């Protein structure tokens, strides 16, 4: 959708103004537009474009299901993705486990995204809703308040010509990502911060990466060094591969040369030397350092936050887009109730807050814990060769892991103690069988 002349809308009052038009903002706008609310979505970017905070993302069936709900059919974003049905997790120098995906919410695959194309599909979807006005290439500079301090609108940046004010009847929503200006302008406080142990991620697109499997199908390949460094080869659109390094942040020494850091780290993995021998980098290096894990206040008089603006965390489990879509769904429900006169804004915020916690809090805590174990923990070679090998090769563990990523199991209950015990028993049995000459080795 092209940017429209802002002047034309100067005096227009909308039910809702949303700042940011990617997963959180575009999905919220679609849900409100479906209910006939008048919505203004403003984004400083023009589309297609990658997000400002670089993201080498995958989405699981849980996110696809939420996209189905807002009418974004897979065919609209499939071209901007690689469809992935299988994965490999390797502990360098120890073992490699092949992981098959499991059917979750009717799909047994996931997607590796090119965010520019994927986000464009969400933006284009807004054209279907006559009550939604989407303006691209326009930066919101500040919020506008009434005499009581309630947020009642936004003002655009004067750097793009005359500053324009837009007003909202119900609320202004910050869907403007992890460096949210709306959050700053309304003074939203950080209410939970688990950023003591963080990761730094650098990635770039490559072509002609040697396939890991003989069938040549796109496969996710994660190589863990168990010393605070992970290499990720993640298929994306156009037969390309994002080659990413995720490193514990306190050990990253960039020395003003992220390119050198990336190159050295990638090449230090034996598997990359094999798979990248005839490959070439085809795009810029992108990165995010010290990726924070935190929640901000969810809302206040006349405003609310959604998506990364509200809550963001390490990409280890690939849940940011699902969380943006899911918090957008929760927020849409209460805004519609306010619009229909069933709730006051204050009641809506209280329900929204509970909904955000139900939807995201246990995943947040589990991801932070997993980050600490996987990137900051340094398991012994014996533990890697036994317990971790048994676990990662265990079909029940693999099935539950995919269900966890697809939000089909409660995040804090997906790996009960019995799973480890059963995997260990099966692993020992397989190893003994192998030692006696029966069956193939486990990993
Ligand atoms: C390295 C990395 C890897 C990741 N991998 C995954 C993954 O595998 N799977 C996954 O699900 N998630 C992943 N994520 C997280 C995911 O990228 C985010 O959770 C997701 O983009 C959040 O969507 P959003 O709509 O809330 O914000 P964003 O996508 O950040 O969009 C915010 C929008 O707001 C606009 N905006 C900002 N300020 C203004 C302003 N003042 N005026 C107007 N517009 C404004 C921006 O232009 C932007 O378009 C990853 C993140 C990182 C950093």
């Amino acid at each position: 959708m092209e940017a429209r002349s802002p002047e034309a809308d100067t005096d227009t009052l909308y039910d809702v103004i949303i700042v940011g038009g990617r997963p959180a903002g575009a999905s919220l706008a679609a849900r409100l537009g479906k209910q006939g609310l008048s919505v203004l979505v403003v984004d400083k970017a023009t589309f297609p474009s990658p997000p400002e905070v670089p993201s080498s993302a995958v989405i699981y069936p849980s996110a696809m299901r939420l996209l189905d709900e807002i009418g974004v059919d897979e065919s609209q974003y499939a071209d901007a993705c690689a469809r992935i049905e299988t994965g490999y997790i390797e502990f360098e120098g120890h073992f490699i486990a092949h992981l098959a995906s499991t059917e979750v919410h009717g799909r047994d695959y996931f997607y590796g995204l090119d965010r520019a194309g994927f986000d464009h599909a969400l933006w284009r979807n807004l054209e279907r809703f006559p009550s939604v006005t989407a303006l691209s290439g326009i930066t919101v500079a500040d919020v506008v308040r009434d005499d009581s301090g309630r947020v009642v609108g936004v003002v655009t940046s004067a750097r793009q010509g005359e500053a324009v004010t837009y007003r909202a009847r119900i609320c202004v929503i910050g869907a403007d990502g992890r460096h949210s200006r709306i959050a700053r302008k309304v003074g939203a406080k950080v209410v939970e911060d688990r950023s003591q142990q963080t990761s730094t991620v650098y990635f770039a697109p490559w072509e002609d990466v040697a396939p890991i499997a003989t069938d040549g199908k796109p496969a996710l390949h994660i190589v863990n060094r168990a010393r605070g460094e992970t290499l990720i080869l993640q298929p994306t659109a156009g037969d390309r591969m994002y080659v990413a390094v995720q490193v514990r942040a306190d050990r990253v020494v960039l020395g003003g040369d992220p390119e050198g850091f990336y190159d050295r780290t990638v090449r230090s993995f034996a598997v990359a030397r094999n798979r990248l021998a005839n490959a070439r980098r085809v795009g810029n290096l992108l990165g995010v350092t010290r990726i924070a894990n935190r929640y901000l206040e969810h809302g206040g008089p006349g405003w609310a936050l959604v998506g990364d603006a509200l809550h963001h965390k390490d990409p280890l489990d690939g849940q940011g887009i699902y969380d943006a879509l899911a918090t957008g769904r929760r927020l849409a429900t209460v805004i519609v109730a306010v619009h229909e006169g069933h709730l006051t804004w204050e009641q809506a915020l209280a329900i929204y807050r509970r909904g955000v916690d139900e939807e995201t809090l246990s995943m947040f805590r589990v991801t932070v814990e997993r980050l600490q174990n996987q990137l900051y923990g340094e398991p012994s070679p014996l533990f890697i060769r036994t317990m971790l090998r048994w676990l990662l090769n265990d079909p029940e563990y693999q099935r539950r892991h995919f269900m966890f990523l697809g939000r089909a199991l409660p995040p804090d209950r997906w790996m009960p103690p019995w799973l480890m015990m059963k995997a260990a028993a099966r692993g020992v049995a397989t190893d003994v069988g192998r030692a006696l000459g029966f069956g193939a080795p486990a990993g």
Side-chain angles (χ1 to χ4, degrees), residues 19-20 22-24 42-45 51-58 115 138-140 175-177 181 201 288 307-308 315 318-322 324:
V19 183
R22 292 189 194 263
V42 190
D43 201 301
K44 66 182 178 185
E52 194 177 20
V53 178
S55 160
S56 51
V58 297
R115 282 293 300 273
I138 293 178
T139 304
V140 168
D176 50 344
R181 181 176 295 197
V201 174
V288 187
D308 269 19
Q319 298 295 316
I321 293 173
Y322 172 83

